[in-house]
Amino acid sequence: DVFINELDRRGLPYIFGARRGLYAKPVIMDAIAYFKLLDNYHESVSLWRILNLPVYDFTAEELADFNQAAKKKAWSLYEVISRAEALKFSNATLKKIQPLLALIAKHTALAREKAVSEIFLGFMNDSGYLKYLAGPPAGQAGRTERENLEAMSQLNQFLKRLRDFETASADKSVKGFLTELNL
């Protein structure tokens, strides 16, 4: 931490390559939240994290409306977005929800038969999140090129971790990985 702080202070570029703390990085927390969501649709905390991804572009008002509806109906966030049409959300909001619901359904089916690394790569590509992170930071609120490079490095480390898990484990599934992660 001392070295990282000093490199930051001096404006020197670096890539932090240690695995310790990898799971605390925001981009990795996003991927893990998606895995948890695939394992349990009613994991509202995980869905909240996914809804806040910049690739889905939900406004603060839309997110507040989702939470309000969930609280009012005593539903999970997933139940709210899956019943968004009946709850009379705007057409613009519905257009943002549909691709997310389709992605969750697709990856849930794949998670039953594919390895966790394949699901991870599918999520990163199919959601547009990888393209967002690899793209120019100019159009990204508050992101710098260095932050994008660090996120890409962290994703590579996480993918290596997933592949190490698959090599060492008989159960290569999302559920198996989450079980190991919880241990």
Side-chain angles (χ1 to χ4, degrees):
D1 287 342
V2 173
F3 288 102
I4 289 172
N5 290 338
E6 187 62 21
L7 290 169
D8 275 339
R9 190 182 72 72
R10 293 179 185 226
L12 296 171
Y14 66 90
I15 295 177
F16 181 68
R19 277 192 184 186
R20 191 173 144 231
L22 179 65
Y23 298 131
K25 303 299 181 192
V27 70
I28 304 307
M29 290 172 66
D30 295 339
I32 291 170
Y34 189 70
F35 290 163
K36 288 179 179 180
L37 179 61
L38 295 180
D39 187 49
N40 177 4
Y41 286 176
H42 302 290
E43 178 75 36
S44 289
V45 172
S46 296
L47 180 54
W48 176 256
R49 187 165 189 98
I50 300 304
L51 291 170
N52 276 281
L53 290 178
V55 294
Y56 293 111
D57 199 30
F58 288 106
T59 66
E61 183 180 332
E62 289 168 327
L63 294 170
D65 289 345
F66 296 156
N67 273 337
Q68 184 179 13
K71 187 173 183 171
K72 183 178 178 182
K73 299 276 191 183
W75 290 349
S76 68
L77 279 176
Y78 181 81
E79 287 174 297
V80 169
I81 67 167
S82 64
R83 299 176 185 184
E85 194 170 340
L87 293 171
K88 308 254 190 263
F89 283 105
S90 72
N91 285 335
T93 302
L94 294 174
K95 285 181 183 176
K96 293 180 197 178
I97 291 171
Q98 291 310 315
L100 177 58
L101 289 174
L103 189 73
I104 292 168
K106 174 185 175 184
H107 289 154
T108 299
L110 289 175
R112 292 185 196 113
E113 57 192 50
K114 300 288 184 185
V116 66
S117 64
E118 293 179 67
I119 303 303
F120 169 68
L121 291 171
F123 166 63
M124 295 305 295
N125 288 311
D126 296 344
S127 68
Y129 198 20
L130 186 62
K131 185 177 179 182
Y132 168 83
L133 291 171
Q140 302 172 11
R143 290 191 64 88
T144 65
E145 186 174 341
R146 188 175 129 257
E147 289 171 322
N148 283 2
L149 288 173
E150 284 177 9
M152 296 300 283
S153 173
Q154 293 160 3
L155 291 174
N156 282 329
Q157 289 175 49
F158 187 61
L159 181 59
K160 183 180 181 331
R161 172 63 188 97
L162 293 175
R163 290 194 170 140
D164 289 347
F165 162 77
E166 291 170 358
T167 300
S169 178
D171 182 3
K172 298 165 182 8
S173 69
V174 168
K175 190 175 216 45
F177 177 75
L178 289 173
T179 300
E180 182 181 288
L181 185 64
N182 286 333
L183 294 174

